[in-house]
């Protein structure tokens, strides 16, 4: 295949990626967009087997290459297929991380290959790819661990932490200069090591609520490394694809931060400004009003309007079908039922929509935060199922807490508030929820699905 | 390719990237992020190119590692995005699907 | 510049052009058309280049004609667009101006 | 200046054009956007004086070049400054035409210069530029003549016209092949001549309502010729700027066609499908109800809701201040007043908004067609000032008439309809308006400004 044809096909794949992103931005075309992107990636991958810059086909090491692809498929496809909906966000983080790692490795190999013959701009692009790719790799692993709850979801902040981070960053940049001037292999490996450390330190102090924003940011970073790798390898396709992801990822990060009411700056530089917090929680023993399934059923039965607020616990308990049953039952009794969907309920944006769509909840019943908030004063019961942070008034009242400033669902305006959760434990952000102690709140302890099943039978028995 | 051409392509791609996603609704943030994530898995192409160039086992080993990682990124990314969107679809098909095309 | 680079730049510019104006309200159709019209007056640059190259009076004459026409297009276009928008402004300044910046 | 710097500045100007178009798409940033575009164009023009491909500075023929620019400024600036608002659309058409002409000339000169040494792709790009540039030039001149009413505004269709057009097109394409194979000068000049003829023939059959769409289309065409010229001259800036205008112009053309309820295809190929129409108009002598200013004042005085529908005649009469005075007077009497703005009222989209903004009409009183149409049944008086086509029911009832299919303002639903116009003459599209003969219509003949002044004094006297 001629170089021209090869690059033309690459450009075609780039166009498919543009159309893919465009498609993914609209609900109706999203799936088609994703498939288009997959088609573009497939075409680009197949094409590379039919062109070699040294003119020799088949490619050198062809067997190894195919083998490695097979290994990647064997790991990636089942992971993506089998993962629980609840674990998707961390899987995305992980996929992003390995992409960053791959870009860093590609740059390292090309650097080893070019040796002293590399031009300064190519070396700079290599260094950029290694730093950002490695940072993205290790940072994504940490977000994965946080989301998977293999480590604490709270900001990890230690005394003097910000100096350590700043020091690592400076060391990384210094080492980058060393690589550019010396063109040695050792400096490059040191650089990779430092960047990995920086990635960890960068993500550790990020608060739980900011994790999806950080994933999106690292995603944009990885895009840029791919673009830089494209420069090193002289591939228009990689430049276009990487830049696209970098730019759209940056915008997306900003949009997500806005949707969650977070400042992007605060999220990014949280690492430098966060102070160790008194997050011990006084292990309070204040009284709460705990009720039975019958109490809850009665409250619901005499309501005119009920707003259901689902959260991460609904996903954990896989109670989406049961909640739908309850809602249908209430509707059948002439009660006005709506779901109040907070943009960051669950562990990824749109998590609740996905979950409830699975149970065929009618789309009209799902109300976004801005729609549902004004209706709480006319609501008799707010039924909170496995949600916590998204209704926590601390977001309004406690400056300095990890979710301060995030808009919340104003359930306290409703006549009665019912919480379905297993314990008094806090939510993702790890902070107490005053609303649990409010006199108008009733708590029904237990797994969401079990509790809902009981409430449904109690309602039927009424 | 000439430096100037690369800079132009880079600049224009930034604009395309910005414009294309700037109106997305918050429900689609995750699938969009995940789809974009899959797209950068196309670094697989770069990994294959360097594997082709490799002529010692260190280089080859690193390239193959890059291929494995990039494949996971790319294929896993598209599959997981499709799964997410499949769930949305139920809703779309029933309530809005008619207006499609 | 390489053919491939030109094709890439051309393709990406098409997307940028499409995306950038795709949400304009009908009130702004005329100023937008007029502004875009002024932008292509930048062919003036091309006209100056060929005038520089010209080495006989036919070529020079045609180039100078091109310069005159292109200047009219460019300068007249921006001025007339500005005049149109100035009229809109009165309204914007009073009713929406406060939200600006 | 190095070539790299020169091109980098060119790219910067290209980015400014992108931002200019972006700015122009939003009401609040439109003016800033236009200024940014002007700045980009200025920078690009100045830069070209500091770089020459043969390395010799100052440029050859510098005095001539500066003189030609001065001539352009002397013609262009006053024309743009002094033109009446009513004549702006034709000026835009004219500016577009000269731009297309300039692009064609540039390509011709470069062709003469390169002679036999030109590569085939360059020749093809040259041929494209010459054809489309010349078409755009002559086509724009014809639209100018139509809008300036120096010729009939009706579609000019003659028997066999479509064969003539198709023939010209074929001859043009054949001649293009001749140029590419022979590389001669004569064929190129013949090509230019044929393209000029094609431009004229292409625009002649376009109906009045479609003229702005055609201007927009020719504008997009000119953009593409500039891009092709950029290819010939190896200028990234021209490629980017031209393509941007080509693409955005195409989209804009489609949007405009949609806003006017026209089919783009019908507009473009109207030339091939239009049949000579019986447009003589039977010079009807049916009775109409003509009233005095006092009659109109009384109707208005006892209305609860009045919708004012302004049209091209308001602009001609420069009656925007008087209409505002009337509206204020009615509002002061507690009457609900709104302006119903049709998207193509006047001679350019947004014409009425511009005009009324000049008279400081409050923005809230301006209602777009979709908003105001449902309110006509509750409207007592629809006061139509110098409008005609935009309220002509023929758009709904008479298939085949030039405005058929265009959405109109449904004034016939209002209790009373008042027309302020000078005569029974039709509007831009040249078709009779049945509504003038409707029993609920009152006509007040005379110049809009004079009539309005009389109505205002009559109202004050009541
Ligand atoms: N959506 C996103 O993009 C995203 C991504 C990452 C992080 N986040 C963060 O995640 C949080 C989302 O808020 P949220 O209110 O949805 O969740 P949350 O604040 O994490 O609260 C979930 C609650 O569900 C309860 N729960 C867990 N499993 C349960 C089960 N099986 N049955 C019943 N209850 C169960 C837990 O209490 P018990 O343990 O007492 O049962 C917990 O209080 C926010 O802080 C958000 O910033 C969001
Ligand atoms: N907006 C655009 O983008 C655009 C661009 C090009 C063409 N067009 C076309 O222009 C037309 C616009 O419709 P329109 O209803 O606004 O205008 P119109 O149909 O052209 O009607 C204007 C009316 O105003 C009257 N008039 C003229 N001067 C007057 C004066 N001094 N005082 C009082 N009346 C006066 C004329 O009747 P008398 O002569 O009897 O007074 C005429 O009937 C449509 O056909 C549209 O497609 C629109």
């Amino acid at each position: 295949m001629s170089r021209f044809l090869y690059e033309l096909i690459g450009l075609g794949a780039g166009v498919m990626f543009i159309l893919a992103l465009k498609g993914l931005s609209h609900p109706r075309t999203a799936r088609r967009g994703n498939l288009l992107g997959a088609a573009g990636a497939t075409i680009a991958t197949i094409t590379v087997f039919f062109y070699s810059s040294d003119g020799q086909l088949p490619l050198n090491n062809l067997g190894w290459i195919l083998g490695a692809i097979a290994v990647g498929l064997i790991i990636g496809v089942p992971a993506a297929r089998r993962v629980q909906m609840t674990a998707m966000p961390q899987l995305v983080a992980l996929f992003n991380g390995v992409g960053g790692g791959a870009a860093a490795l590609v740059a390292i190999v090309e650097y080893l290959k070019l040796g002293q013959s590399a031009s300064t701009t190519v070396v700079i692009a290599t260094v950029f790819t290694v730093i950002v790719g490695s940072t993205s790799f290790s940072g994504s692993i940490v977000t994965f661990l946080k989301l998977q709850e293999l480590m604490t979801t709270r900001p990890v902040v230690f005394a003097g932490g910000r100096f350590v981070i700043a020091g690592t960053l400076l060391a990384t940049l210094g080492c980058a200069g060393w690589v550019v001037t010396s063109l040695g292999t050792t400096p490059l490996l040191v650089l990779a090591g430092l960047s990995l450390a920086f990635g960890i330190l960068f993500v550790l102090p990020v608060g739980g609520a900011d994790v999806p924003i950080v994933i999106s940011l690292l995603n944009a970073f990885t895009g840029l490394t791919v673009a830089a790798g494209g420069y090193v390898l002289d591939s228009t396709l990689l430049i276009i694809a990487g830049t696209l992801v970098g730019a759209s990822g940056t915008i997306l990060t900003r949009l997500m931060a806005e949707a969650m009411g977070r400042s992007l700056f605060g999220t990014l530089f949280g690492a430098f400004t966060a102070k160790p917090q008194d997050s011990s929680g006084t292990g309070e023993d204040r009284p709460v009003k705990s009720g039975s399934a019958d109490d809850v059923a009665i409250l619901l039965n005499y309501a005119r309007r009920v707003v259901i607020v689902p959260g991460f616990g609904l996903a954990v308990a896989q109670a989406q079908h049961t909640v739908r049953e309850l809602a249908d039952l209430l509707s059948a009794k002439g009660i006005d039922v709506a779901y109040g969907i907070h943009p960051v309920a669950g562990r990824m944006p749109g998590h609740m929509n996905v979950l409830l769509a699975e149970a065929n909840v009618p789309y009209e019943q799902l109300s976004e935060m801005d729609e549902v908030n004004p209706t709480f004063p006319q609501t008799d019961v707010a039924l909170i199922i496995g949600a916590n942070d998204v209704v926590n008034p601390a977001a309004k009242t406690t400056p300095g807490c990890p979710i301060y400033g995030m808009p919340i669902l104003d359930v306290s305006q409703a006549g009665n508030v019912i919480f379905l959760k297993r314990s008094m434990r806090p939510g993702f952000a790890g902070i107490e929820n005053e609303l649990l102690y409010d006199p108008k709140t009733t708590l029904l302890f237990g797994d969401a699905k079990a509790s809902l099943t009981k409430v449904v039978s109690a309602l039927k028995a009424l | 390719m000439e430096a100037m051409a690369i800079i132009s392509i880079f600049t224009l791609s930034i604009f395309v990237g910005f414009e294309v996603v700037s109106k997305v609704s918050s429900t689609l943030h995750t699938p969009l992020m995940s789809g974009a994530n899959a797209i950068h898995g196309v670094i697989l192409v770069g990994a294959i190119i360097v594997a082709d160039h490799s002529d010692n086992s260190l280089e080859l080993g690193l390239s193959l590692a890059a291929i494995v990682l990039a494949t996971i990124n790319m294929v896993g990314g598209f599959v997981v995005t499709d799964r997410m969107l499949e769930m949305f679809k139920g809703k779309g098909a029933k309530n809005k699907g008619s207006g499609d095309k």
Side-chain angles (χ1 to χ4, degrees), chain A, chain B:
Chain A
M1 184 182 308
S2 75
R3 170 136 192 117
F4 183 76
L5 181 58
Y6 168 67
E7 292 210 330
L8 202 62
I9 296 178
L11 180 63
V15 168
M16 288 170 88
F17 291 153
I18 296 175
L19 296 173
L21 289 176
K22 219 170 130 77
L24 278 164
S25 315
H26 299 283
R28 277 197 247 142
T29 52
R31 204 163 176 208
R32 217 183 302 154
N34 184 54
L35 293 178
L36 200 61
T42 311
I43 291 174
T45 308
I46 291 176
T47 312
V48 80
F49 286 99
F50 294 94
Y51 172 79
S52 170
S53 55
D54 61 10
Q56 279 184 352
L57 283 182
L59 300 186
N60 306 319
N61 311 313
L62 183 61
W64 285 107
I65 293 175
L66 293 175
I69 292 180
V71 173
L73 287 173
I74 290 171
I75 300 174
V77 175
R81 276 259 178 83
R82 301 231 182 95
V83 65
Q84 292 281 322
M85 270 310 294
T86 44
M88 275 199 189
Q90 47 265 51
L91 197 67
V92 173
L94 206 58
F95 286 161
N96 177 53
V98 298
L105 286 175
V106 168
I108 292 174
V109 176
E110 192 67 9
Y111 179 87
L112 295 178
K113 210 94 228 84
L114 292 174
Q116 303 293 329
S117 74
S119 76
T120 312
T121 45
V122 166
V123 176
I124 292 176
T126 308
V127 164
F128 176 84
T129 311
V130 172
I131 296 179
V132 183
S134 309
T135 304
S136 185
F137 179 69
S138 59
S140 298
I141 304 286
V142 176
T143 49
F144 168 77
L145 295 176
K146 285 197 176 202
L147 286 170
Q148 189 71 12
E149 305 197 2
L150 295 175
M151 60 174 284
T152 172
T153 61
R154 297 185 177 198
V156 177
V157 187
F158 46 92
R162 61 179 119 169
F163 300 109
V164 177
I165 298 177
T168 313
L169 183 59
L170 282 179
T172 310
L173 294 179
C175 184
W178 183 23
V179 175
V180 174
T181 47
S182 75
L183 295 181
T185 306
T186 322
L188 194 75
L189 297 182
V190 175
L191 183 68
L194 279 170
S195 309
L196 289 173
F198 177 69
I200 296 173
L201 292 169
F202 174 70
V203 176
L204 275 183
V206 170
D210 292 333
V211 166
I213 302 178
V214 168
I215 300 180
S216 176
L217 188 74
L218 292 175
N219 183 36
F221 277 2
T222 306
L224 290 180
T225 62
V226 171
Y231 175 69
V232 174
L233 295 172
D234 198 11
S235 158
T236 316
L237 168 61
L238 292 190
I239 296 178
I240 295 179
T243 311
L244 274 180
V245 175
S248 60
T250 306
I251 286 286
L252 187 58
T253 308
R254 223 190 60 199
L255 293 175
M256 284 172 76
E258 273 168 18
M260 302 191 190
R262 318 292 302 170
S263 120
L264 191 50
F265 186 85
T267 307
L268 298 192
F269 297 97
F272 297 100
T273 54
K275 287 169 221 63
Q277 278 167 326
D278 173 28
S279 53
S280 56
T282 38
E284 299 187 63
D285 230 3
R286 286 189 279 158
V288 298
K289 188 167 79 193
S290 152
S292 70
D294 288 319
D295 299 336
V296 171
I298 288 169
L299 275 176
L300 291 172
N301 198 38
Y302 296 106
R304 270 154 308 152
R305 177 175 166 84
V306 172
V307 173
I308 298 174
V309 176
F312 179 62
L314 185 81
V316 175
Q318 289 290 312
Q320 62 272 34
H321 296 280
T322 326
V323 78
R324 183 183 176 193
E325 203 184 330
L326 176 69
D328 288 351
L329 203 59
L330 294 174
S331 296
K333 287 178 185 275
I335 300 168
D336 183 14
V337 181
Y339 295 80
I341 309 290
H342 190 281
V344 302
R347 286 293 178 273
M348 57 186 193
H351 201 162
M352 294 299 120
N353 300 58
V354 170
L355 204 68
L356 294 172
E358 203 191 325
N360 289 321
V361 169
Y363 192 58
E364 304 79 48
Q365 286 185 5
L366 306 183
S367 307
E368 297 198 359
M369 181 166 62
D370 299 339
E371 277 170 62
V372 81
N373 265 344
T375 71
F376 278 116
Q378 294 90 265
T379 299
D380 303 295
V381 179
L383 179 64
I384 297 157
I385 308 179
N388 196 337
D389 295 345
V390 300
V391 299
N392 192 338
K396 288 182 168 172
T397 57
T398 317
C401 83
I403 61 168
Y404 184 70
M406 176 173 90
I408 58 162
L409 288 164
D410 276 331
V411 289
S412 62
Q413 309 265 333
N416 289 281
V417 176
I418 304 175
F419 271 93
L420 266 54
K421 63 200 301 287
R422 297 166 308 180
S423 66
M424 291 300 288
R425 278 198 303 273
F428 188 76
I431 45 172
E432 280 288 346
N433 188 343
E434 276 301 316
L435 200 60
L436 296 175
Y437 305 97
D438 194 285
K440 66 169 142 177
T441 298
T442 308
L443 286 151
L444 174 54
F445 287 113
D447 175 78
K449 191 168 184 177
S451 300
L452 279 169
T453 315
K454 281 186 223 148
V455 173
V456 167
S457 10
L459 254 180
K460 284 190 181 148
L462 274 178
Chain B
M1 199 180 283
E2 266 180 59
M4 196 51 219
I6 292 176
I7 298 174
S8 306
I9 291 173
F10 179 70
T11 311
L12 291 169
S13 299
I14 289 179
F15 277 99
V16 176
F18 273 6
E19 291 300 326
V20 147
V21 307
S22 62
K23 297 258 147 56
V24 65
S25 85
S26 72
T27 321
L28 283 173
H29 284 172
T30 300
L32 180 56
M33 175 168 76
S34 174
N37 173 25
I39 287 175
H40 66 51
V42 75
I43 185 67
L44 174 57
V45 167
I48 296 175
I49 293 175
V50 293
D52 174 34
H53 293 176
S54 296
D55 37 29
N56 65 45
S57 53
L58 173 65
E59 286 175 19
L60 183 59
L62 292 175
S63 321
L64 294 180
I67 293 180
V68 173
L69 296 182
T71 309
I72 295 177
N73 180 188
M74 184 169 109
V75 181
F78 285 117
V79 172
V80 89
T81 310
D82 191 58
R83 273 193 61 199
M84 277 183 217
L85 292 169
E86 196 175 3
M87 309 234 161
F88 280 85
K89 225 200 130 187
K91 156 187 115 195
K94 260 178 232 119
N95 297 280
K96 299 188 161 180
S98 55
D100 208 349
K101 270 183 208 162

